Amino acid sequence: MNELPVGVAPKLRVRERVVFHADTVSARWIGACALLSAVCWLVGLLVHEHRHANWHAAGGLAWSLTVFAAVALIARGVFLGRPVTALHATAALAALLAGLGAHLLSLDVAGNVLIAGSGLALMWPTSARPDPGQRQRIWSLITISRNDPLAPFAMQALKSYHFSADGRAALAFRTRLGYAVVSGDPIGDETRFPAVIDDFAAMCRSRGWRIAVLGCSQRRLGLWADPATLGQSLRAVPIGRDVIVDIPRFTMAGRTFRNLRQAVQRTHNCGITTEIVAEQELDERLRAELVEVLLASSKGAHTERGFSMILDGTLEGCYPGIQLIVARDRAGQVQAFHRYAVAGGGSDISLDVPWRRRGAPNGIDERLSVDMINAAKALGAQRLSLAFAAFPEIFDDDRRGRVQSLFYRAIHLGDSLVALESLYRYLRKFHALGDRRYVLLSMTQLLPLLIVLLSFEFMPRRRRL
């Protein structure tokens, strides 16, 4: 793996070579003028149609709307500052020629769609390539990131990265449909966070990307508060809370933890034992046993999902700092295992994904979590993030109003993907709800952003087993 010298930030890798790009100020003027010209031209044609009854009204109006749509799409792209690449120009020309050919064959509707689509093809947003080659560089920043349970998930293979000029801080993000969605908070040196965000915003403006943030912590909201720096205004919408156990103070004593104690005791009565092993040190025999658990679980063993709060590559050993805690029954068969990621030089531990067989003993997840907390305490760790509790207020309120009841029913429609209420009932036993997490977005682009965010979190990816 080729690594950059310390202090040198890599340039962003995009998919295409740029052949034309206007700066932000020029783009806005050119876009406005082009759109105004298109509107004036269309109005002129409509006036001409009104005055000349023998003009081919239907065909003329359709052609006018087609050209107007193409010009408007181009003007919008230029206004946003999107660059034009050789691939864009080729696709637009192909669509234009295909549209003209369709008209020659009297396929007017198809021709109009293709010609209008040529404007969309010309200004289609570029995208950033995933950059797994930066994994070790990102890991070095994760090791100095403390009190950030999402920091280890920056390593996910599908993410791109933007580093500060000195390489001491970075953002993880993905792009789709002209949106750059940041995953969690910046990682690395906290003093460089404002600088890396300012530079990231400038880069996004140069690419015509609009910014959203998924999983921003409560204490980092101020970093995204300046519309002048970002080039847009982002609204913070709460989506849930971190669930973080204070390891040195953790105890199961008292009535508060009665349900947790009972769940753990049931597994002891069943003869469950646990062991901890580094994922990168798995031997073939143990890996085969764990793969069997994946295949026997109730989750999709052959697919992966998630973006901001999850890693990929389970059991592949491709990420540093990953620990597995494995539960076996009396017969020695593996019944379940949890995957944990480490940050902050060992001070912070985050649960990635829990796996269990169908029919595994009741309480086995609680047992694995408690045993991991106790093992982390012995090693001097400070915090263990169990998961993220989405919309806990909705699940915790038995007297829901109309709006809350509507959200409650809507959330349960997604139980086949993630059973949020069941997860919350499990997390509540630890009494460790922490600070809020937010999604930061522009409310004027709510619908397309929701499509992008949901596709990142729930679109399945093939798992290598």
Side-chain angles (χ1 to χ4, degrees), residues 45-46 48-61 63-64:
L45 287 174
L46 292 176
H48 184 274
E49 177 192 7
H50 179 72
R51 290 182 176 178
H52 299 275
N54 61 347
W55 192 60
H56 301 293
L61 180 58
W63 178 256
S64 300

Side-chain angles (χ1 to χ4, degrees), residues 20-75:
F20 168 76
H21 183 250
D23 60 74
T24 303
V25 176
S26 298
R28 293 184 180 278
W29 280 104
I30 293 172
C33 291
L35 187 57
L36 180 62
S37 300
V39 172
C40 292
W41 182 52
L42 178 60
V43 171
L45 287 174
L46 292 176
V47 171
H48 184 274
E49 177 192 7
H50 179 72
R51 290 182 176 178
H52 299 275
N54 61 347
W55 192 60
H56 301 293
L61 180 58
W63 178 256
S64 300
L65 291 174
T66 297
V67 176
F68 172 72
V71 173
L73 289 168
I74 294 172

Side-chain angles (χ1 to χ4, degrees), residues 58-320:
L61 180 58
W63 178 256
S64 300
L65 291 174
T66 297
V67 176
F68 172 72
V71 173
L73 289 168
I74 294 172
R76 178 178 178 272
V78 176
F79 182 81
L80 291 172
R82 290 178 180 170
V84 175
T85 70
L87 182 61
H88 287 120
T90 301
L93 180 60
L96 180 61
L97 293 177
L100 294 175
H103 273 286
L104 291 176
L105 297 174
S106 299
L107 302 174
D108 293 340
V109 174
N112 290 340
V113 170
L114 286 167
I115 291 172
S118 68
L120 183 64
L122 186 66
M123 304 308 299
W124 191 256
T126 57
S127 58
R129 292 179 181 176
D131 202 0
Q134 294 296 331
R135 185 171 298 153
Q136 288 300 321
R137 189 172 179 82
I138 289 296
W139 171 243
S140 69
L141 298 180
I142 292 170
T143 59
I144 62 173
S145 298
R146 295 178 179 270
N147 199 18
D148 182 1
L150 302 193
F153 305 134
M155 292 188 291
Q156 191 194 75
L158 292 177
K159 292 178 181 176
S160 305
Y161 304 106
H162 187 83
F163 291 82
S164 61
D166 57 10
R168 290 161 53 194
L171 286 169
F173 70 100
R174 286 185 68 183
T175 57
R176 182 165 291 167
L177 299 180
Y179 294 97
V181 181
V182 176
S183 172
D185 295 330
I187 57 174
D189 184 351
E190 292 190 28
T191 65
R192 305 302 300 158
F193 288 178
V196 74
I197 287 177
D198 289 353
D199 192 47
F200 176 74
M203 183 272 294
C204 287
R205 289 195 299 272
S206 74
R207 309 300 308 178
W209 295 336
R210 287 163 290 182
I211 298 171
V213 184
L214 183 57
C216 180
S217 68
Q218 189 169 328
R219 64 191 181 121
R220 303 298 184 196
L221 286 175
L223 295 172
W224 303 97
D226 186 4
T229 299
L230 301 178
Q232 61 185 105
S233 179
L234 298 179
R235 181 173 177 179
V237 179
I239 55 175
R241 294 180 180 271
D242 289 323
V243 181
I244 302 178
V245 175
D246 185 339
I247 293 176
R249 298 182 180 181
F250 176 74
T251 176
M252 289 195 295
R255 184 176 180 83
T256 301
F257 292 95
R258 179 183 177 185
N259 290 339
L260 181 59
R261 283 198 310 274
Q262 290 176 339
V264 172
Q265 186 58 48
R266 281 194 294 270
T267 65
H268 283 285
N269 296 340
C270 291
I272 296 295
T273 58
T274 63
E275 62 174 325
I276 297 174
V277 60
E279 188 177 67
Q280 292 186 330
E281 297 176 5
L282 289 178
D283 57 38
E284 288 303 315
R285 179 175 175 275
L286 179 54
R287 184 180 185 278
E289 289 182 286
L290 299 180
V291 168
E292 184 184 347
V293 174
L294 288 182
L295 297 175
S297 72
S298 59
K299 302 175 185 176
H302 294 284
T303 58
E304 295 176 319
R305 291 184 174 88
F307 167 60
S308 61
M309 303 177 188
I310 198 170
L311 283 174
D312 52 359
T314 302
L315 304 181
E316 293 178 18
C318 54
Y319 295 114

